[in-house]
Each structure stands twice: as C-alpha cells, then as structure tokens.
Amino acid sequence: MSRRILVVIGHPDPSPDRLCRGLANAYAEGAGQSGHAVRQVDLAAIDFPMLRTMQEFEHGAVPDGLKDAADAIVWAEHIVFVFPLWLGTMPALLKAFLEQVMRPGTAFAYPDGAGRLPRTLLRGRSARVVVTMGMPSFVYRLWFLGHGLAGMRRSVLRFAGISPVRETLFGMVAGSSDATRAKWIAQMRKLGQLAR
C-alpha cells in the first residue's frame, strides 16, 4: 500500500558529499521506486529564525520559509529524520526546526480544562530516526543510553502522537570504507522501499 513519506535532512552542512544527505536520498529513492509519495525537506537550504519566547511558540506564525515543511508534516503518514549526532543529540538547526514546526495547533493542542493532558494531533503517523556518529553505535546505546535520541522520541515525536518511532544508527562513520557506506546506502534504499 502506498504511503505519504516526508524525509527531513537535518545536517546543517549543505555539501552534497555529506553521508546524511546520501542516506536520505537513498531512502527517498527507494520509497519513490515502490510507488510511495515522497517529499523532502533539506534544512541546510532553508533560512529561518530561532524561537526566543514562549509567546512566539504558542501564538506566533510559522515562518514563511517553513510553511511548506509544516504542511508536509501534517500531510505525511511516515516521517524520516536523518542527521549527525552532535554533542550526544541532534544539531541545533534540527532542534530549531522542530520548535518552529511542532507547535500548538499543528503537533498538539493544549487541554481545555485544568488537570487534563495535551491532545496529540499527529496520531496515526510513524517515524524513523536515522543518525550518523563518530563512535560505535552500541557505545552510544549502552554507555550513553541514547539519551539524545530518547529525548527526541519521547518529548517531541511521541508527545505529538507519532508512533512507532524506529531508529537506525550508523557508527564510526569518519573511518568507514566506501564498501561500508555503499552497504548503508543500500540499507536505506531498502527501508525506503518498505516505507519503514
């Protein structure tokens, strides 16, 4: 069955040589080959401001440069985020993007009465978080407990109703061979074909 898929490239460096960009493009290519509708958002190509106040978050408008991306999040049935691990979590550009597009009215709604929980507005969607890192991925999971990814999974995606959230981690990328990178690209293409 065909799905609507959004691929978000969260690497701040616009260089076409970045592994994240290759992984994201392979996923999108595989999904397209299998008949899925695919949109891509490349954060390195978008200029947008950071949020600075709660008032702006709750009542401000999504910046013009991000309106298409915010619409794509609502449109998508499956969202794929691809980014490098920086200081144990996502780059600041991706965090700033999420703060802009995962606003009240789009991702969740504040409760009507006291003591009630916020309503999720993105229920029924799934996600995959794809992360490249310099350390072995098992070290990040076991020693660091994957804390940066856990925060994104629980406090952003699941908070908005997105579930399941699957993860794909690629470790030791700096010293990886061309053959290893080709294997990773093929893995992402296959995931795209499966829309998982």
Side-chain angles (χ1 to χ4, degrees):
M1 173 159 57
S2 177
R3 298 185 78 192
R4 298 187 306 271
I5 299 172
L6 172 63
V7 179
V8 178
I9 305 170
H11 200 306
D13 186 345
S15 170
D17 299 329
R18 291 286 158 233
L19 176 60
C20 285
R21 197 158 274 103
L23 296 170
N25 290 336
Y27 187 101
E29 179 183 293
Q33 289 171 347
S34 292
H36 301 291
V38 181
R39 294 184 187 176
Q40 283 186 264
V41 172
D42 188 343
L43 299 188
I46 305 171
D47 184 30
F48 60 91
M50 291 179 57
L51 283 173
R52 300 202 180 260
T53 68
M54 180 64 97
Q55 174 74 13
E56 195 179 353
F57 174 70
E58 292 180 335
H59 305 290
V62 173
D64 289 342
L66 291 178
K67 285 183 178 170
D68 288 345
D71 290 344
I73 286 173
V74 174
W75 166 86
E77 296 171 303
H78 182 64
I79 307 170
V80 180
F81 297 91
V82 185
F83 58 90
L85 189 74
W86 285 8
L87 295 176
T89 190
M90 69 187 86
L93 184 67
L94 178 54
K95 179 69 163 60
F97 168 77
L98 291 171
E99 289 172 356
Q100 287 284 16
V101 299
M102 301 294 267
R103 291 176 184 247
T106 300
F108 68 96
Y110 285 114
D112 297 332
R116 300 180 67 186
L117 296 174
R119 255 183 326 117
T120 61
L121 299 180
L122 298 178
R123 188 175 302 279
R125 291 158 181 80
S126 58
R128 177 168 297 277
V129 178
V130 180
V131 184
T132 62
M133 61 189 68
M135 72 179 85
S137 57
F138 74 89
V139 171
Y140 182 67
R141 285 192 192 277
L142 296 177
W143 182 256
F144 295 99
L145 304 177
H147 70 280
L149 295 184
M152 180 181 188
R153 183 179 58 249
R154 287 193 302 256
S155 302
V156 179
L157 302 177
R158 287 190 180 156
F159 179 78
I162 299 172
S163 182
V165 178
R166 297 178 178 93
E167 298 171 0
T168 302
L169 307 182
F170 297 110
M172 303 296 289
V173 298
S176 60
S177 66
D178 289 344
T180 297
R181 287 179 177 235
K183 185 176 97 176
W184 292 341
I185 294 289
Q187 179 182 345
M188 290 302 295
R189 190 173 288 111
K190 181 68 173 175
L191 287 171
Q193 290 168 351
L194 299 171
R196 287 189 45 126

